[in-house]
Amino acid sequence: GRWYELSSRLVIVAMILLILVLIPGVGREINGSMRWIPLGVINLQPSELAKLFAFIYIAGFLSRHNEKIKTEMLYLITPLCVLGVLGVLLLLEPDFGSTAVLMGVGLGMIFIGGVSGWRFSIMIMMTMIAMLGIVYSAPYRVARLKTFLDPWQYQFGEGFQLINSLMAIGRGELTGVGIGESIQKLGYLPEAHTDFIFAVYAEETGLLGVGLLLMLFLLFISRTFIIGKRAEHCGMKFGAYISYGIGIWVVGQAFINLAVAMGRLPTKGLTLPLLSYGGSSMITVLIAIGILFRVDVDSKHEL
């Protein structure tokens, strides 16, 4: 209802917030990135809201132009241009991780929307080329890539975070060292409460805890797709697309965070949804889950 009506306006709000954060004096710089707007009580991170608003917009666009997207190129380019503009604004912060999530989930939603295979392949190729260009355009990203390939060569510099993360995960073994008993979080592992919280979790709960966490995330995405499928069956196209989008977003971002902590992907500044410390991330994901509950209830009433 209301989310569908507001979908086009929300994406404009997202763009305004992402422009505001780049203005010196409005945005606040932490660790070399302009990603926060201080609001007194909390620091707002516009990139988190921008992701949710972008997915609401794409869900609205797909439900309005469902048939045209399958046949007309113009209707495919429009959501891609919106994603591109948001992506550029995120890269100016710079926030490559959020850009990758935004593009990945957006493309995933468009694919579910029924776009033809060859058109989707062209979109993927264009996005991949653009992303590679972005990676090689910034020296610090190239440095991260080198660190990712051989962290031990940079163990007291760029690789310090990853090595301490791997040591924490290794210490966990099968059952973990016990809740609250992590050593790595006592100043050895930078960002232990945000980007690398998974390493501390793995150290304290072990392989069994990690297995449980993976199962919960897989359960979450399966439920979002069940809700989405039911909504689609009831003719609630917007509800269906936003459910799929939320599922891909939360679980996709979680798996990127896990892959980074385990050294399977280069370091990104992405939170682990529902676990990492950070008000903007937590509140945004809870809003998304609230929307999901609403779609679930409405689709049950329609049956």
Side-chain angles (χ1 to χ4, degrees), residues 33 159 177 286:
S33 295
V177 293
L286 291 176

Side-chain angles (χ1 to χ4, degrees), residues 3 16 46 61 68 75 78 80 98 157 181 215 217 225 248 253 255 275:
W3 290 107
I16 292 166
F61 189 89
K68 288 173 181 169
Y75 286 92
T78 310
L80 281 180
S98 288
E181 299 297 316
M215 280 171 64
F217 276 120
F225 270 68
I248 300 167
Q253 185 166 316
F255 277 82
L275 281 179

